[in-house]
Amino acid sequence: MLTSLISSGTRRACVLALAAALAACGGGGAEDTPNVGNPPAPPTVPAGTGQLHSATLLGTISAVDIAAALSSEESLAEDVVPRYAVTSYRLEYLTTDADGKEVRASGLISVPQKAAGAKSPVLSYQHGTIFKDAEAPSNNAVASEVSVVLASLGYIVLAPDYVGFGASKGTPHPYLLSAPSAAATVDFLTAARTWRGQANVADNGQLFLTGYSEGGYVTMAAHRALQASGSTHLQQLRMVVPGAGPYNVQSTMDGLVELVRDEQPVLGALINPGFLRYLGGSAQREVRRLLLRALLPGDADVTYDTRFIDRFLADDVQYIANTSSVHDWKPNLPVRLFHGQEDRTVPYASSVNTLRAMQARGAGELVSLTDCRAQPSGHLQCVPPFITFMLGQLAPVAQDL
């Protein structure tokens, strides 16, 4: 169940989160500290984004088969009992890539099979890091896929593949770039709403966002973008539950430097704030090569956007603050953070700093941080408690399940 509930991404999430977090932070002295404020004005995007292009039926899976899939693996969804059969569809829609250009993307929508006319809340689930296109949600609509499992509980579940996967395979995946990460989710919300109207699939007017690890980061980026743009989706959004995401990439890097030095002594010796920019060309190329080798496993069949590595080597702190971090703003709806204190893949400090930044801006009790109680409370060990926590947070609010 480990690979299914986080779309197989955490098999190498430690390696990717480590390298990418390092590459997305930079260094510098106190005078370089960026002035990060409220959500930035949304960038100008092509008029066609969010447009639905096609919908393909993928099939129906019975509640019995979903239960069997959960029981046949090491289940991360503790005490989950499927209630409904689930029919899944692959939607293709327009969104934007890292350069703001239109790209045709895809995602999975899983619908619980209820009585005629019954309504359901909408749950947008952002998956964790993956390296194989076959693991993208719309390519993996099997009984153990997290979207299918959550839909069996009564939610209409949306799971964007992200740019770089599914229909947009071949386009570099914009890892830890906030604008395209948010766009893939927000535009999928729009396309899915169009499809529900066409297919007569009734929602009950409630929307929730959730995700773990990279999925937590994308969830936070999407929430910020919805609020900054005054999106009509805000009328339905009720709660956001992100788990263990690198929202503050600077604090993520700070917590991972020692781990890098332990595992890559030569590389670690070069990663010091304000020093990388002074390396010679050959030294910078070697650091970049090592980062790329750590970032992408040899059997990956998708492409990752690596421009952030060059920004990191240039110690461009301001660029990282503007394009990656998603922690320092004031949400107007409940945000329920979850993280393990012993997480070495995405340091606990990322969530602590997010909580403090949001509360400092006046969010108050709208934002909370719940500690994972697993022993040890590492990144992978906290996935089962996160699933339980997330469902527990939604249960008192979600209707029509």
Side-chain angles (χ1 to χ4, degrees):
M1 193 56 191
L2 175 63
T3 56
S4 63
L5 275 177
I6 46 180
S7 299
S8 303
T10 54
R11 289 182 295 183
R12 296 191 185 92
C14 182
V15 174
L16 180 57
L18 172 64
L22 285 169
C25 63
E31 68 275 13
D32 296 321
T33 302
N35 180 18
V36 181
N38 286 319
T44 301
V45 296
T49 55
Q51 179 181 345
L52 175 66
H53 268 260
S54 65
T56 303
L57 174 65
L58 299 178
T60 299
I61 303 174
S62 70
V64 172
D65 287 342
I66 297 170
L70 292 176
S71 63
S72 66
E73 303 181 34
E74 182 183 353
S75 178
L76 296 182
E78 299 171 346
D79 302 321
V80 168
V81 180
R83 298 176 57 196
Y84 304 100
V86 174
T87 300
S88 294
Y89 304 81
R90 175 188 172 105
L91 304 187
E92 295 192 5
Y93 65 105
L94 282 184
T95 187
T96 50
D97 65 11
D99 296 314
K101 298 178 180 178
E102 279 190 359
V103 60
R104 186 160 173 165
S106 54
L108 178 68
I109 181 165
S110 296
V111 181
Q113 297 305 289
K114 300 180 177 179
K119 298 180 179 181
S120 302
V122 176
L123 176 59
S124 181
Y125 169 78
Q126 287 62 249
H127 66 77
T129 308
I130 56 178
F131 299 95
K132 294 293 188 73
D133 186 54
E135 297 169 350
S138 76
N139 290 333
N140 193 44
V142 297
S144 58
E145 165 64 33
V146 63
S147 303
V148 174
V149 173
L150 294 175
S152 76
L153 302 179
Y155 297 93
I156 298 170
V157 181
L158 314 181
D161 291 333
Y162 302 159
V163 169
F165 300 88
S168 59
K169 183 182 179 183
T171 302
H173 172 56
Y175 187 79
L176 289 187
L177 297 177
S178 62
S181 295
T185 296
V186 174
D187 292 336
F188 192 50
L189 290 177
T190 300
R193 182 172 59 189
T194 299
W195 177 83
R196 292 198 303 275
Q198 295 175 352
N200 295 317
V201 174
D203 68 79
N204 71 347
Q206 291 185 313
L207 170 64
F208 303 92
L209 304 178
T210 192
Y212 189 84
S213 194
E214 181 185 0
Y217 173 86
V218 176
T219 294
M220 189 73 80
H223 183 193
R224 187 179 70 167
L226 288 171
Q227 186 169 308
S229 66
S231 169
T232 57
H233 295 295
L234 285 173
Q235 298 171 9
Q236 294 189 325
L237 187 60
R238 299 292 182 267
M239 181 182 293
V240 178
V241 189
Y247 325 109
N248 181 344
V249 295
Q250 183 66 53
S251 68
T252 300
M253 185 272 182
D254 292 341
L256 289 171
V257 165
E258 290 305 317
L259 181 59
V260 172
R261 288 174 173 159
D262 289 344
E263 297 184 355
Q264 292 275 2
V266 175
L267 177 60
L270 299 176
I271 301 177
N272 289 297
F275 179 64
L276 284 170
R277 72 183 77 178
Y278 301 114
L279 292 177
S282 61
Q284 281 213 5
R285 284 192 296 272
E286 177 62 10
V287 173
R288 190 179 192 279
R289 184 186 69 81
L290 290 170
L291 284 170
L292 282 172
R293 188 175 69 181
L295 172 63
L296 297 176
D299 60 350
D301 65 2
V302 293
T303 305
Y304 275 70
D305 191 312
T306 58
R307 74 186 68 186
F308 56 83
I309 291 180
D310 298 314
R311 295 289 187 166
F312 167 61
L313 293 173
D315 290 319
D316 195 343
V317 177
Q318 190 66 55
Y319 175 89
I320 299 305
N322 292 339
T323 62
S324 292
S325 290
V326 294
H327 69 292
D328 194 2
W329 57 286
K330 179 185 174 183
N332 295 329
L333 290 167
V335 175
R336 303 302 179 220
L337 301 164
F338 183 90
H339 214 138
Q341 293 194 21
E342 297 175 288
D343 193 335
R344 299 189 73 194
T345 302
V346 179
Y348 180 71
S350 177
S351 289
V352 172
N353 289 345
T354 300
L355 174 70
R356 291 173 178 171
M358 290 182 168
Q359 290 185 338
R361 292 190 176 276
E365 294 183 356
L366 280 177
V367 183
S368 63
L369 171 58
T370 297
D371 289 354
C372 172
R373 298 301 182 187
Q375 295 296 326
S377 58
H379 199 68
L380 299 184
Q381 293 88 347
C382 285
V383 176
F386 171 72
I387 298 295
T388 301
F389 170 78
M390 179 267 291
L391 291 174
Q393 291 297 303
L394 301 189
V397 182
Q399 301 172 0
D400 303 311
L401 293 175

